[in-house]
Amino acid sequence: MSWYCDVAPGHPYHGPYHDREYGFPLSDDAALFERLCLEIFQAGLSWLIVLKKRESLRAAFDGFRPDVVARYGEAEVARLLADAGIIRNRRKILAVIENAGRLLALSAQYGSFAAWLAAQPAQSKEAWVKLFKKTFTFTGGEVVNEFLMSIGLLPGAHRPDCPVQLRLDTLARERAAK
């Protein structure tokens, strides 16, 4: 098995993401939505491409604010498809817009996307994938698994001996003690 921990150290894109974001819990809906969208954009591509285009994607999608993205229409889709700084896949762009609306519906019911995630009982990877496929679009197994690992809901983001995993373990113990 290859680990992201083995690729990331010292890399200008992978390193900062691995060391400061991958596997760390998130509770902000825009940050959660961004992470889900990045995983959707990554499908069939390398994570490095996504990381290199991340700032352009963030700018093009209004900071991944679900309330803004959900209102996108054909003019915004055309703008996005013409933007050479992002991943210009029509199906992925439409999925991001559709998922923004679905996330807003969940937020209306649960208070936030984070609250919806927290309300789900502990479940297997397969159950998570089934739930996401029912709830969102363009969320296959790899997208869902990587999204959930990236936000700390599924284990496996780091090797057990990775310094970042050791830091995450300490954070988890501190949260549990509160």
Side-chain angles (χ1 to χ4, degrees):
M1 174 178 196
S2 65
W3 292 90
Y4 194 47
C5 307
D6 298 328
V7 175
H11 191 279
Y13 291 95
H14 291 300
Y17 178 75
H18 170 270
D19 294 350
R20 295 185 213 124
E21 295 184 70
Y22 192 53
F24 287 83
L26 288 177
S27 59
D28 176 77
D29 276 3
L32 286 164
F33 182 56
E34 175 184 10
R35 195 70 60 83
L36 179 60
C37 294
L38 294 178
E39 294 297 344
I40 288 169
F41 279 115
Q42 188 273 329
L45 302 173
S46 77
W47 188 239
L48 181 57
I49 290 170
V50 173
L51 290 175
K52 285 181 175 181
K53 293 186 176 278
R54 186 178 191 181
E55 289 307 314
S56 295
L57 285 162
R58 191 178 282 150
F61 283 92
D62 292 293
F64 288 105
R65 291 184 34 225
D67 59 321
V68 175
V69 175
R71 294 191 310 263
Y72 283 7
E74 282 305 313
E76 288 83 4
V77 171
R79 173 184 58 81
L80 292 165
L81 288 170
D83 186 340
I86 70 166
I87 297 162
R88 297 179 290 177
N89 178 299
R90 184 176 191 83
R91 287 184 57 225
K92 293 176 181 182
I93 290 168
L94 293 175
V96 165
I97 296 166
E98 175 67 22
N99 287 339
R102 293 180 184 195
L103 188 148
L104 290 178
L106 288 176
S107 295
Q109 184 177 357
Y110 289 87
S112 69
F113 183 31
W116 177 78
L117 287 165
Q120 304 310 313
Q123 46 193 335
S124 67
K125 287 181 181 184
E126 295 77 18
W128 274 113
V129 170
K130 186 176 179 180
L131 176 64
F132 267 74
K133 281 186 174 188
K134 183 175 85 175
T135 309
F136 296 103
T137 186
F138 214 104
T139 50
E142 190 67 22
V143 168
V144 173
N145 289 334
E146 280 300 322
F147 168 69
L148 294 172
M149 277 196 302
S150 80
I151 63 168
L153 281 182
L154 283 180
H158 301 276
R159 280 189 332 258
D161 66 334
C162 174
V164 175
Q165 183 59 54
L166 300 175
R167 201 162 78 233
L168 287 167
D169 292 343
T170 300
L171 288 171
R173 283 190 301 275
E174 290 170 356
R175 277 193 309 275
K178 288 183 180 178

